[in-house]
């Protein structure tokens, strides 16, 4: 079993979906969790699902970049320096190119990409990070590699995470900070369920058929993140981990 005892892990997007499941799985492995999200009620619901420990909630919008450092500073003062970070906050948009504009691109990139880099920049400061090092995990998407029609903003924002993680892996190695990306296929989160409700049955079947092992569950992704945050992966950095039920094999 993966052991994360006494590790402090910060998770964005912890109020639902993969972020919430990561919090639960990591907590069960012994970690203390800093839960970040916009919905305080749902963050509290997540916290109630965690194994009892000195967990901490930060109620904020991850695109309020000027608030990040003060919130991290407060959290570190309460629970100690940071051992790991998961950027799971993300938004999805399906729209043809003709309906896209700069505002929509900015909204998607601010949450999906820039927030990941800003949290990494601040967390990597010596006063916030554990002296023995840390592990950062970006939740990207298999669509960041393969692309999907009608998702130019989403796909490109997730692709940017991949190259950004590799650049950070090189830059932060001297601080003993590892940076890796996880690329899920379709996972049964609320975001995906909402998408299913907007698509015709034939389209949903086609997407499902393209996943030889079917749609994944948030726990599948959370277990991989737990490995990357643990000492079992201490020689892994700058890598992309596809977890898509075989989608990218086709």
């Amino acid at each position: 079993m993966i052991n994360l005892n006494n590790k402090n892990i910060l998770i964005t997007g912890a109020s639902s979906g993969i972020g919430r499941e990561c919090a639960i799985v990591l907590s069960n492995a012994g970690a203390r969790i800093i839960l970040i999200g916009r919905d305080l009620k749902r963050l509290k619901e997540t916290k109630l699902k965690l194994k009892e420990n000195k967990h901490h909630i930060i109620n904020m919008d991850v695109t309020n970049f000027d608030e990040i450092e003060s919130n991290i500073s407060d959290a570190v003062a309460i629970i100690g320096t940071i051992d790991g970070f998961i950027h799971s906050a993300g938004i999805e948009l399906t729209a043809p190119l003709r309906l896209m504009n700069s505002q929509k691109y900015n909204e998607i990139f601010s949450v999906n990409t820039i927030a990941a880099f800003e949290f990494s920049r601040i967390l990597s400061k010596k006063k916030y990070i554990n002296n023995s090092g840390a592990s950062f995990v970006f939740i990207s998407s298999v669509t960041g590699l393969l692309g999907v029609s009608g998702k130019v903003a989403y796909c490109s924002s997730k692709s940017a995470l991949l190259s950004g993680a590799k650049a950070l892996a090189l830059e932060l190695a001297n601080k003993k900070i590892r940076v890796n990306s996880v690329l899920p296929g379709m996972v049964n989160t609320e975001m995906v369920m909402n998408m299913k409700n907007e698509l015709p049955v034939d389209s949903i079947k086609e997407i499902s058929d393209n996943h030889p092992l079917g749609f994944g569950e948030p726990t599948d992704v959370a277990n991989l993140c737990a490995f990357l945050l643990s000492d079992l992966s201490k020689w892994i950095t700058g890598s992309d981990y596809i977890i898509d039920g075989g989608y990218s094999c086709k």
Side-chain angles (χ1 to χ4, degrees):
M1 180 178 176
I2 291 175
N3 183 351
L4 296 175
N5 285 336
N6 299 316
K7 289 188 180 293
N8 297 327
I9 312 295
L10 185 149
I11 304 174
T12 65
S15 59
S16 63
I18 291 172
R20 171 177 282 184
E21 194 62 30
C22 283
I24 295 168
V25 168
L26 301 181
S27 168
N28 288 337
R32 284 182 293 270
I33 312 298
I34 300 172
L35 306 158
I36 297 182
R38 291 180 298 180
D39 191 325
L40 180 59
K41 179 182 177 182
R42 301 194 71 176
L43 287 174
K44 289 180 177 179
E45 290 171 356
T46 300
K47 188 177 180 182
L48 289 174
K49 296 176 181 290
L50 306 186
K51 183 177 179 181
E52 187 173 344
N53 208 329
K54 198 176 180 181
H55 308 298
H56 182 71
I57 287 177
I58 297 176
N59 181 208
M60 69 170 291
D61 186 324
V62 297
T63 64
N64 290 338
F65 303 129
D66 292 341
E67 298 177 10
I68 294 176
E69 183 152 14
S70 61
N71 281 317
I72 288 176
S73 180
D74 291 345
V76 168
I78 294 170
I79 72 170
T81 53
I82 304 301
D83 302 277
F85 164 49
I86 298 176
H87 182 64
S88 185
I91 54 177
E92 187 271 342
L93 174 65
T94 301
L97 181 62
R98 68 179 184 276
L99 296 182
M100 295 300 296
N101 55 47
S102 60
Q103 181 181 348
K104 291 176 181 177
Y105 290 120
N106 286 333
E107 289 173 356
I108 295 289
F109 271 81
S110 290
V111 177
N112 295 0
T113 311
I114 299 172
F117 300 156
E118 278 296 280
F119 271 93
S120 297
R121 177 179 66 83
I122 293 164
L123 286 170
S124 62
K125 293 183 179 182
K126 186 176 181 180
K127 58 184 174 180
Y128 300 133
I129 211 73
N130 192 309
N131 288 333
S132 62
S135 174
F136 295 173
V137 178
F138 296 162
I139 305 297
S140 179
S141 168
V142 70
T143 65
L145 287 177
L146 303 179
V148 177
S149 178
K151 293 183 183 290
V152 61
Y154 181 78
C155 293
S156 56
S157 71
K158 293 296 188 177
S159 181
L161 280 179
L162 304 181
S163 54
K166 293 181 187 299
L168 290 177
L170 294 173
E171 184 172 345
L172 299 179
N174 64 347
K175 294 185 176 183
K176 301 178 184 177
I177 297 174
R178 300 181 292 109
V179 187
N180 294 288
S181 300
V182 171
L183 291 71
M186 281 291 185
V187 177
N188 285 316
T189 63
E190 289 182 30
M191 182 188 293
V192 170
M193 297 305 293
N194 290 335
M195 186 191 71
K196 287 181 181 179
N197 292 333
E198 296 173 359
L199 293 174
V201 175
D202 289 348
S203 296
I204 297 171
K205 184 179 185 305
E206 181 181 356
I207 295 171
S208 179
D209 289 345
N210 284 330
H211 290 72
L213 296 182
F215 289 176
E217 297 299 330
T219 306
D220 299 321
V221 181
N223 287 335
L224 176 54
C225 291
F227 166 72
L228 291 172
L229 289 165
S230 77
D231 294 337
L232 295 175
S233 61
K234 64 184 179 62
W235 204 47
I236 299 174
T237 194
S239 294
D240 307 331
Y241 282 83
I242 297 173
I243 177 167
D244 66 357
Y247 175 84
S248 58
C249 296
K250 301 189 75 175

